[in-house]
Amino acid sequence: MNKRDRKTDSRFIVANREAVIGVILVIINFIWWYGFAYGLGSNSVENYSYILGFPAWFFYSCIVGFFVMVILVIIVVKFFLVEVPFDHDEEGMDE
Amino acid sequence: MNVEVVISLVIFLLIIFVVGFMSAKHSSRKGSTFLQEYFLGSRELGGFILAMTMVATYGSASSFLGGPGAAYTQGLGWVLLAMSQVATGYFVLLILGKKFAIMARKYEAVTLIDFLKNRYRSSIVVLFSAISIIVFLFSAMAAQWIGGAYLIESIVGIPYTSALFIFAVAVLIYVIIGGFRAVVFTDSIQGVVMFFGTLIILIGTIVAGGGVSNIMNDLISENPNLVTPYGHDGGLSAAYVSSFWILVGVGVVALPQVAVRAMSYRDSRSMHRALIVGTIVVGFIMLGMHLIGVFSRPILPGIEVADQVMPLITMEVLPPWLAGIVLAAPLAAIMSTVDSLLLLVSSTVVKDVYLNYIKPDATNKRVRQVSYGVTAFLGILVFAFALSPPELLIWLNLFAFGGLEAAFIWPLIFGLYWSKGNKGGAIASMVVGVGTYIGIHNFYPNPLGMHSVVFPVVLSFFAFIIGTYIYYESSKKSVEI
């Protein structure tokens, strides 16, 4: 059954691609989060700069990082995801 | 304690009941099979509801009571840790995604175990999964009930036992009557309450603290570590905080109560919409809730029981009538987690054990009776446990999520994306994952400064691959002979 799925169902090519997008998104998310938090946050507290009252590391890592991810997710949904039917079973199946 | 607070809570509970009854009516009208409807809402969830039910199921007592409490103690470092959960908003749906939805439909799977059963065709996999779910989730659920009862106790000012009783009756009635559809609709209401509740408390807290800059200065003058990423005593290392990306970020994919929602939506469009809504709502709630915890510190110094930070700060910064409405948010979070878990455990018992092994030819009517019975029985059992929580239960709850992730992550992911993966791999992966997790958790916690869940997830990955090849070779040999 699985061999058939892999070879013939074109919907699974779409699904596999979208799973890869998910992994790429989470890697970008992590690098952004980690880079700003520990890049700026490892200075001593006296040298911190502040944006809107928050320490800069927190502002960029957590607040800006959140908005960046929302924008990336919207871009991915609008431009990269493909609508496929779930129920049209065995479509394009030729064994 | 406070009449206005109690009134708005009661109104909230009534709304939940009405939704439960209405959706129960809907489900009894429908001709589709009872199992599909009761446990999965006939796979008809739209995008907004899908997003909200995922958020509400996931954003449990941990994010509403424990999380802000920890942020209160640890400072901004804990908010940083909590922000690893933003990933759940998009990662779960993209990874399980369309493939899981399509395969679940093909297999007519109603639970995560259904999927594993059809994918691996092994009763060992099914039984091991069922036991993991029943043990781990039952424990997680009991701890949530305790949290809910404490919350009612602290708001209403009645004894713990009465609070627990009110909570239990409310949850049971609507889970039994409504099933999955009632649960996800009430999840949506609760998700909305959580979202706006967070917003209102956050604004109230910032105002009470005299603005963000002022609060930061207060924190620095108390303990400069509170505004660093390293926690109040410098104990939160980068490796430790980063390892939470596995426990509460990407690993959430493997939690059965989350995975089951990824097979319940109507079409691609619902999923796409849920991706956007879910990311925004999860991110906002996690950021807001944990910031509230940090900001509470200068306003209400010296709170000793961390779980009380949220109720206390809410009653402190908001007028009573508004506090009452907003405090519905943590209660909503706990209830929605509990009802989802209750339904999931009962579906495991009914679908995966009763129908598979005890009475495969049960009629639709019989299944219905058994489902109600098991759900009610489990509810009463949890209630009994929560009355005087045994030590073991608390211990089990602490590592329930990690254990489930170690058990299911690779059988699920490889099951979807690696067609060669077989039951040898699945069994090896589950045994190694759960075994090493229990071992590391007890005897060598947080190796190399990372959370105990990291190594079991890595080891079970290799166990799956090795197990798959060993089984593949041995079955090839037996065919040749």
Side-chain angles (χ1 to χ4, degrees):
Chain A
M1 158 155 264
N2 297 298
K3 222 170 245 172
R4 274 189 320 187
D5 288 348
R6 194 186 41 166
K7 289 215 171 117
T8 57
D9 199 328
S10 62
R11 296 174 300 175
F12 287 163
I13 298 168
V14 171
N16 290 356
R17 196 177 71 121
E18 293 178 4
V20 172
I21 292 174
V23 173
I24 295 170
L25 275 181
V26 93
I27 291 170
I28 294 172
N29 196 173
F30 180 79
I31 292 172
W32 184 289
W33 172 93
Y34 190 95
F36 279 109
Y38 296 103
L40 295 174
S42 55
N43 293 328
S44 64
V45 177
E46 302 89 67
N47 298 330
Y48 277 4
S49 53
Y50 294 85
I51 298 164
L52 299 178
F54 293 99
W57 71 264
F58 183 83
F59 182 78
Y60 287 117
S61 175
C62 295
I63 298 174
V64 177
F66 168 46
F67 284 106
V68 166
M69 287 321 295
V70 169
I71 290 165
L72 284 181
V73 168
I74 291 172
I75 291 171
V76 162
V77 169
K78 296 278 179 226
F79 298 106
F80 292 96
L81 299 195
V82 182
E83 289 193 17
V84 297
F86 292 154
D87 283 324
H88 290 203
D89 213 16
E90 322 296 295
E91 194 182 84
M93 193 77 107
D94 47 280
E95 201 185 3
Chain B
M1 186 176 24
N2 190 314
V3 181
E4 288 170 73
V5 174
V6 175
I7 287 174
S8 49
L9 272 180
V10 170
I11 291 173
F12 173 72
L13 287 179
L14 285 177
I15 291 173
I16 297 293
F17 278 137
V18 171
V19 172
F21 280 113
M22 274 168 21
S23 57
K25 231 176 172 179
H26 183 99
S27 81
S28 60
R29 238 196 340 251
K30 268 186 90 81
S32 69
T33 72
F34 172 77
L35 278 177
Q36 294 268 343
E37 172 58 34
Y38 186 72
F39 290 124
L40 216 48
S42 299
R43 298 188 213 277
E44 277 186 359
L45 299 193
F48 179 75
I49 290 179
L50 174 64
M52 284 305 182
T53 185
M54 292 197 108
V55 170
T57 302
Y58 183 60
S60 58
S62 67
S63 52
F64 272 80
L65 299 174
Y72 177 89
T73 312
Q74 295 279 3
L76 290 180
W78 200 266
V79 187
L80 178 70
L81 183 153
M83 287 309 279
S84 60
Q85 298 171 68
V86 172
T88 58
Y90 55 88
F91 191 73
V92 173
L93 281 176
L94 278 174
I95 293 299
L96 298 180
K98 287 158 189 163
K99 187 126 190 194
F100 195 47
I102 293 166
M103 286 175 88
R105 278 169 167 76
K106 196 175 273 176
Y107 293 155
E108 296 189 344
V110 173
T111 62
L112 174 61
I113 295 182
D114 274 347
F115 170 79
L116 296 174
K117 178 182 152 205
N118 284 295
R119 174 64 179 77
Y120 295 110
R121 305 197 174 279
S122 155
S123 50
I124 301 176
V125 170
V126 172
L127 283 176
F128 197 91
S129 311
I131 291 169
S132 305
I133 286 184
I134 292 168
V135 171
F136 286 130
L137 281 190
F138 186 83
S139 327
M141 184 162 66
Q144 299 277 342
W145 285 51
I146 297 165
Y150 276 134
L151 190 67
I152 294 179
E153 184 190 10
S154 69
I155 297 169
V156 186
I158 53 175
Y160 175 77
T161 313
S162 320
L164 183 65
F165 185 73
I166 293 173
F167 183 76
V169 170
V171 168
L172 271 183
I173 288 179
Y174 80 78
V175 172
I176 290 176
I177 293 177
F180 188 83
R181 191 183 290 269
V183 168
V184 296
F185 275 129
T186 54
D187 274 358
S188 313
I189 299 174
Q190 290 157 345
V192 172
V193 172
M194 283 155 73
F195 186 85
F196 287 103
T198 305
L199 184 64
I200 294 167
I201 306 175
L202 183 62
I203 293 170
T205 312
I206 293 175
V207 171
V212 178
S213 299
N214 205 8
I215 294 172
M216 289 301 150
N217 287 332
D218 289 342
L219 289 173
I220 292 171
S221 60
E222 189 201 334
N223 175 0
N225 284 337
L226 291 170
V227 301
T228 69
Y230 301 107
H232 70 118
D233 57 358
L236 295 178
S237 70
Y240 183 72
V241 173
S242 299
S243 66
F244 274 76
W245 277 74
I246 292 183
L247 182 70
V248 298
V250 298
V252 169
V253 154
L255 294 181
Q257 68 271 39
V258 172
V260 72
R261 278 156 174 72
M263 58 167 85
S264 62
Y265 48 90
R266 193 190 309 132
D267 50 23
S268 302
R269 189 168 297 173
S270 309
M271 176 199 150
H272 294 172
R273 191 154 174 232
L275 274 169
I276 299 175
V277 176
T279 307
I280 293 172
V281 173
V282 162
F284 178 76
I285 289 178
M286 291 305 158
L287 183 61
M289 274 292 155
H290 291 86
L291 271 180
I292 291 166
V294 178
F295 289 175
S296 304
R297 198 172 175 90
I299 302 165
L300 289 174
I303 297 177
E304 281 178 7
V305 181
D307 285 1
Q308 289 180 345
V309 171
M310 278 308 291
L312 289 177
I313 191 69
T314 307
M315 299 203 211
E316 170 76 20
V317 301
L318 298 181
W321 62 273
L322 191 56
I325 296 170
V326 166
L327 273 178
L331 194 63
I334 296 171
M335 287 179 82
S336 61
T337 305
V338 163
D339 56 34
S340 313
L341 297 185
L342 184 59
L343 199 61
L344 192 76
V345 176
S346 81
S347 77
T348 305
V349 174
V350 175
K351 268 280 309 165
D352 303 320
V353 179
Y354 179 78
L355 278 182
N356 275 342
Y357 297 106
I358 300 173
K359 203 167 166 51
D361 56 345
T363 61
N364 216 19
K365 191 180 164 209
R366 182 89 188 107
V367 172
R368 183 193 302 258
Q369 288 166 347
V370 172
S371 300
Y372 290 149
V374 167
T375 308
F377 174 75
L378 283 171
I380 293 163
L381 200 64
V382 182
F383 178 76
F385 270 109
L387 269 179
S388 60
E391 291 287 316
L392 177 68
L393 208 67
I394 294 166
W395 175 80
L396 277 175
N397 177 58
L398 281 177
F399 83 130
F401 276 21
L404 287 167
E405 290 172 5
F408 290 119
I409 189 161
W410 299 118
L412 180 57
I413 301 285
F414 279 133
L416 287 172
Y417 294 104
W418 192 33
S419 57
K420 279 208 183 82
N422 58 35
K423 66 180 176 186
I427 294 167
S429 174
M430 291 171 103
V431 171
V432 168
V434 173
T436 54
Y437 184 65
I438 291 174
I440 290 176
H441 186 88
N442 287 304
F443 301 113
Y444 189 55
N446 304 336
L448 303 184
M450 291 187 287
H451 190 276
S452 304
V453 79
V454 174
F455 280 97
V457 166
V458 173
L459 292 174
S460 61
F461 172 85
F462 293 110
F464 192 100
I465 294 173
I466 295 167
T468 292
Y469 278 112
I470 291 174
Y471 181 79
Y472 182 72
E473 291 300 324
S474 66
S475 60
K476 210 166 58 180
K477 250 175 229 150
S478 64
V479 170
E480 281 164 10
I481 293 165

